[in-house]
Amino acid sequence: MILSTSIHLAKTYLEKGETIGLPTETVYGLAGNIWDTRAIAKIYEVKARPQSHPLIAHVANWHQVQELADDIPTIAKQLAEQFWPGPLTMILKASSKVPQEAVAGLSTIAIRMPDHPLALKLLSSLKFPLVAPSANPFGKVSPTSAMHVFSYFKGKIPLTLDGGNCEVGVESTIIGFDEDAIVIYRQGIIGKEDIQKAFPQIPVYYDNENSSKYPGSHRSHYSPQTPLVVTEDLKDTLKKYEGKKIGLLTLNAFEAEYPDIVIRYLSPNNSLKEAATHLYEYLHELDALGLDIIIAELLEPSEIGIVLNDRLIRASTSIV
Ligand code: TXA
Ligand code: MG
């Protein structure tokens, strides 16, 4: 696999029906031409993704949305104007042109415009939108750098477009429309409050039933190789694993009484946004050290804190 910043090279591979690593502001994707069913098949194969999990389409402009979706609610256009390019994915009614393979046979399609200069440049240079799931083998930690994609898929895909470290660091917020309301299926950095602030007249609610409308919301997800314990009581948990090789993931300023633990501070500045940027990065780092255990401290349950805790809990082997 080549790591490159060449849009031209990326374009050439995609036009040939290849799948490539794509940088976005959230996490890296495994991208292919949405109209090319062989490219889509390759994405599922490389990722070992269950066929029942649909892919997100990534677009360069509103025209492509109109090509992919029918009966688009007015509010969808307004949300796009407000939040795109950015980490907001909208589930719309799929047009009849959309290959069944891209949407796992559903009648809907998830669409977003990523906020990353290289991704936008690439998408604008292509005559087709890209489908892209996160570029991790099914169930593993999402990649936030080109090197992460390289270690997962070297020898399996020809190229990853190297766009540096992902700024947002967690997957996009996924919303759908229920009559006049907005439903949040997966929360990312854009939360209910952000949507409500922009559109105070529209009801917004969480899909608490994890309904069949959102395949892929498994409890277990994003897992490192090393066992991961999440905890609210760091001191107590550390005591329990005394003598083990421990990696510790915490927000900041932990007074380490244990000399042998490897610590990663998610945000020395106490910013949960910064913590989001580093969450997967540090999980990857700690996971590569051959430790016995990674212990992660749950964050304060503010809007972003809840999002990060959700990802940590899904990645964990146990919660204490
Ligand atoms: O930030 C992101 O969204 C990243 C970057 C690469 O854009 N992509 C990403 O894709 O996280 P993935 O495939 O790892 O997660 C997409 C989720 C899956 O759980 C999938 O089931 C759901 O979105 N999804 C996709 N299309 C859908 C649809 N039509 N209806 C309901 N859920 C859908
Ligand atoms: Mg994923």
Side-chain angles (χ1 to χ4, degrees):
M1 183 199 303
I2 309 166
L3 298 189
S4 163
T5 55
S6 165
I7 300 285
H8 175 72
L9 207 52
K11 186 169 183 258
T12 309
Y13 277 121
L14 288 165
E15 284 169 349
K16 278 199 298 199
E18 273 295 346
T19 173
I20 67 154
L22 175 78
T24 84
E25 80 282 34
T26 57
V27 301
Y28 275 69
L30 205 53
N33 176 353
I34 192 168
W35 307 125
D36 185 339
T37 51
R38 281 175 323 165
I40 296 172
K42 183 136 194 232
I43 291 172
Y44 279 91
E45 185 197 316
V46 167
K47 198 180 146 89
R49 182 182 181 90
Q51 295 289 338
S52 58
H53 291 190
L55 305 176
I56 295 178
H58 294 67
V59 297
N61 52 55
W62 190 255
H63 176 73
Q64 289 183 327
V65 177
Q66 288 171 315
E67 209 180 350
L68 296 173
D70 286 339
D71 307 338
I72 303 169
T74 318
I75 183 68
K77 177 100 196 282
Q78 292 166 340
L79 282 158
E81 277 159 9
Q82 178 77 24
F83 293 107
W84 283 5
L88 183 75
T89 298
M90 297 195 277
I91 299 177
L92 299 166
K93 184 175 169 205
S95 79
S96 55
K97 279 194 198 166
V98 172
Q100 286 297 295
E101 289 83 348
V103 292
L106 297 180
S107 59
T108 55
I109 180 162
I111 307 178
R112 83 179 194 99
M113 188 189 293
D115 187 14
H116 187 289
L118 278 189
L120 284 174
K121 218 167 161 184
L122 174 65
L123 283 164
S124 311
S125 79
L126 294 167
K127 292 210 170 70
F128 45 84
L130 295 173
V131 272
S134 52
N136 48 288
F138 180 64
K140 299 284 187 233
V141 180
S142 291
T144 54
S145 74
M147 269 315 285
H148 293 159
V149 185
F150 183 82
S151 18
Y152 279 146
F153 297 122
K154 55 179 176 288
K156 295 196 169 150
I157 60 171
L159 172 99
T160 291
L161 197 54
D162 189 349
N165 291 342
C166 300
E167 242 177 79
V168 171
V170 292
E171 299 83 353
S172 63
T173 301
I174 301 181
I175 60 166
F177 303 97
D178 174 20
E179 300 195 350
D180 289 331
I182 292 169
V183 191
I184 300 177
Y185 291 105
R186 176 178 77 183
Q187 188 164 347
I189 215 87
I190 295 176
K192 185 175 168 176
E193 285 170 21
D194 300 302
I195 298 172
Q196 272 175 335
K197 210 192 262 165
F199 300 96
Q201 76 284 14
I202 311 264
V204 184
Y205 65 89
Y206 291 101
D207 171 55
N208 290 325
E209 292 161 28
N210 266 340
S211 70
S212 54
K213 277 193 192 156
Y214 171 51
S217 52
H218 301 263
R219 195 203 83 80
S220 165
H221 219 132
Y222 319 107
S223 305
Q225 306 280 350
T226 317
L228 170 70
V229 172
V230 299
T231 182
E232 272 179 332
D233 189 342
L234 205 47
K235 285 225 159 110
D236 211 48
T237 310
L238 278 169
K239 214 173 278 160
K240 207 166 132 197
Y241 291 98
E242 226 175 319
K244 301 265 183 221
K245 285 186 276 173
I246 299 173
L248 175 61
L249 199 57
T250 179
L251 188 64
N252 56 25
F254 174 72
E255 300 293 321
E257 295 154 35
Y258 307 83
D260 291 335
I261 56 180
V262 185
I263 308 179
R264 288 290 178 278
Y265 296 111
L266 286 168
S267 172
N269 302 318
N270 216 12
S271 145
L272 287 171
K273 224 168 167 178
E274 185 183 31
T277 308
H278 297 303
L279 181 71
Y280 291 150
E281 179 190 347
Y282 292 165
L283 275 178
H284 278 283
E285 269 183 37
L286 291 174
D287 201 21
L289 298 179
L291 301 165
D292 296 322
I293 188 130
I294 301 171
I295 298 173
E297 186 178 32
L298 286 169
L299 300 159
E300 62 166 68
S302 64
E303 253 209 332
I304 298 178
I306 291 171
V307 174
L308 302 187
N309 287 344
D310 166 72
R311 303 303 202 272
L312 277 173
I313 288 167
R314 285 170 195 269
S316 69
T317 21
S318 65
I319 307 161
V320 298

